[in-house]
Amino acid sequence: MAVSDVEEGGTHVLSPDVAETVSARDLFRRGLVIPAHPLALTADRRLDERRQRALTRYYVEAGAGGLAVGVHTTQFAIHGTALLAPVLELAATTAAEASRDVVLVAGVVGPTAQAVAEAELAASLGYHMVLLTPHPDPSEDALIERARAVGAVLPVIGFYMQSAVGGRPLSRDFWTRFASVESVVGIKVAPFDRYRTLDVLHGVCRAGREGDLALYTGNDDHILADLIAPHRVVVDGRQVEVEFVGGLLGQWAVWVRRAVDLLEEAGRARAGDAAAVRRLLTLDGHLTDANAAIFDVAHGFHGCIPGIHEILRRQGLLAGNWCLDPAETLSTGQLKEIDRIWAAYPWLRDDDFVAEGLDRWLS
């Protein structure tokens, strides 16, 4: 079946059949900025639909190529509740307002039965792929079978999540086997650990999937360094080249217009632009320093999500930095750190872009 677009009221959306997945996968493979979509709440911790839509509109107009909804940044607490479906639906219907295709990624969690049911929900709402969050099952064999079961519903993006927020160590052999699953179309590599990042790269190359499986950085502490260079992996005595094509990140839930610029420049760096490499290596330190404040590294990432919310609140996109859990707040001293990086790195921010579009997005 040929890849095609369907036009509805002047808006281009991916056609709702097998061609939809092919087209979405093609876009995903090229490399995109995919923000991990936060959850907009009112002061009484109810869904703020107006601001939830405004966030989606901001991401799309800023140039994000996809949206990841129902992931850690959206708050895992929505899973298993009546909130999951409307949050997924709001993002999908709002993204359909765009004049271009937007790849929709739904986060799914839990044991196999729950993950499959959530994938089925996402498919019914027009999502193209799922980000399969790790599960604390002790068996890597069981995780592979879980991926196969979910992949029978929608294409799967693997997720190597850092241990501090619920991830678990996984072997190099696991990633070789995982990458060999036909329904796996990508991996979000986010262990915040260079050794474990290399395990994924080696696994993908050992599986022979370096040409068609898309690697996305989720290493918020190493974003630009992941993106700027091809990575050469030695497999059975031969060198195999693999690269990160994009980012699916909590850090890219903020300052998205600049994230789009940075990904474009990273592409030039990978193509051999030495000036771009030098510039991005400098900015990598700035972005990592900013991320340390926003993600609350000093307190074991306790204030990660409210830190993201605080940036969006300052720009007017959110009304507050509230989370579903009243105990999930900014840590002591975190606000001061955010003030510091806010003043130190104005070139990372997209305040003017947000100010120009804010009233329209909130309408």
Side-chain angles (χ1 to χ4, degrees):
M1 186 177 295
V3 174
S4 61
D5 290 339
V6 175
E7 191 167 6
E8 298 179 355
T11 296
H12 297 281
V13 296
L14 295 168
S15 57
D17 55 18
V18 175
E20 175 183 71
T21 301
V22 173
S23 180
R25 180 170 179 175
D26 216 24
L27 291 170
F28 181 72
R29 181 66 189 87
R30 293 175 198 168
L32 306 170
V33 168
I34 304 182
H37 204 308
L39 183 65
L41 296 174
T42 61
D44 59 357
R45 304 181 198 280
R46 297 180 183 274
L47 177 63
D48 187 335
E49 292 191 12
R50 175 169 165 259
R51 291 186 180 274
Q52 191 74 8
R53 287 191 184 277
L55 282 175
T56 302
R57 289 168 177 158
Y58 159 51
Y59 296 144
V60 171
E61 286 198 27
L67 300 170
V69 190
V71 294
H72 174 248
T73 303
T74 322
Q75 300 179 55
F76 283 146
I78 70 172
H79 290 269
T81 74
L83 198 52
L84 179 62
V87 169
L88 290 174
E89 186 173 11
L90 267 174
T93 56
T94 306
E97 300 170 354
S99 59
R100 61 180 175 84
D101 295 335
V102 178
V103 176
L104 297 176
V105 178
V108 302
V109 308
T112 300
Q114 179 182 351
V116 168
E118 292 186 354
E120 289 170 344
L121 170 64
S124 74
L125 295 172
Y127 280 73
H128 308 112
M129 305 171 183
V130 296
L131 180 68
L132 187 56
T133 299
H135 186 260
D137 192 301
S139 164
E140 291 188 350
D141 289 343
L143 293 182
I144 297 293
E145 291 310 308
R146 175 175 175 255
R148 292 187 192 280
V150 173
V153 180
L154 280 175
V156 168
I157 304 167
F159 186 5
Y160 203 170
M161 186 166 70
Q162 62 156 324
S163 302
V165 294
R168 53 171 288 187
L170 294 162
S171 70
R172 186 169 293 190
D173 179 65
F174 169 83
W175 289 111
T176 304
R177 296 167 61 204
F178 185 87
S180 300
V181 175
E182 187 176 355
S183 57
V184 171
V185 295
I187 300 173
K188 172 180 174 174
V189 187
F192 288 36
D193 183 304
R194 303 318 296 164
Y195 301 111
R196 292 175 180 173
T197 294
L198 286 173
D199 284 341
V200 180
L201 300 184
H202 278 260
V204 168
C205 293
R206 286 179 176 181
R209 294 292 305 279
E210 68 278 357
D212 69 320
L213 187 153
L215 287 174
Y216 274 67
T217 183
N219 287 319
D220 300 78
D221 64 340
H222 209 69
I223 298 168
L224 297 179
D226 271 350
L227 290 171
I228 63 175
H231 301 266
R232 291 184 175 87
V233 175
V234 178
V235 178
D236 298 328
R238 60 189 177 88
Q239 284 197 13
V240 180
E241 193 166 282
V242 64
E243 63 186 22
F244 287 92
V245 298
L248 197 169
L249 295 150
Q251 178 61 45
W252 280 0
V254 303
W255 305 335
V256 179
R257 184 63 206 141
R258 291 294 295 120
V260 171
D261 295 339
L262 290 170
L263 182 60
E264 290 175 357
E265 191 166 7
R268 295 194 293 274
R270 288 199 307 274
D273 185 333
V277 172
R278 288 193 298 271
R279 169 177 156 74
L280 291 177
L281 283 174
T282 298
L283 290 180
D284 186 54
H286 298 173
L287 187 56
T288 301
D289 189 30
N291 176 262
I294 296 168
F295 272 41
D296 191 27
V297 173
H299 299 94
F301 302 92
H302 169 80
C304 170
I305 294 174
I308 292 169
H309 289 185
E310 174 62 20
I311 299 296
L312 297 169
R313 184 200 66 77
R314 291 179 183 214
Q315 293 184 309
L317 285 156
L318 293 183
N321 57 36
W322 311 294
C323 294
L324 288 169
D325 181 354
E328 195 167 358
T329 61
L330 294 173
S331 294
T332 302
Q334 187 181 1
L335 192 60
K336 184 177 180 181
E337 274 295 285
I338 291 175
D339 287 340
R340 179 185 65 80
I341 61 97
W342 186 274
Y345 307 120
W347 45 87
L348 295 179
R349 307 195 327 248
D350 61 357
D351 301 351
D352 291 344
F353 176 79
V354 173
E356 182 182 339
L358 186 60
D359 288 345
R360 182 174 67 256
W361 303 331
L362 286 168
S363 63

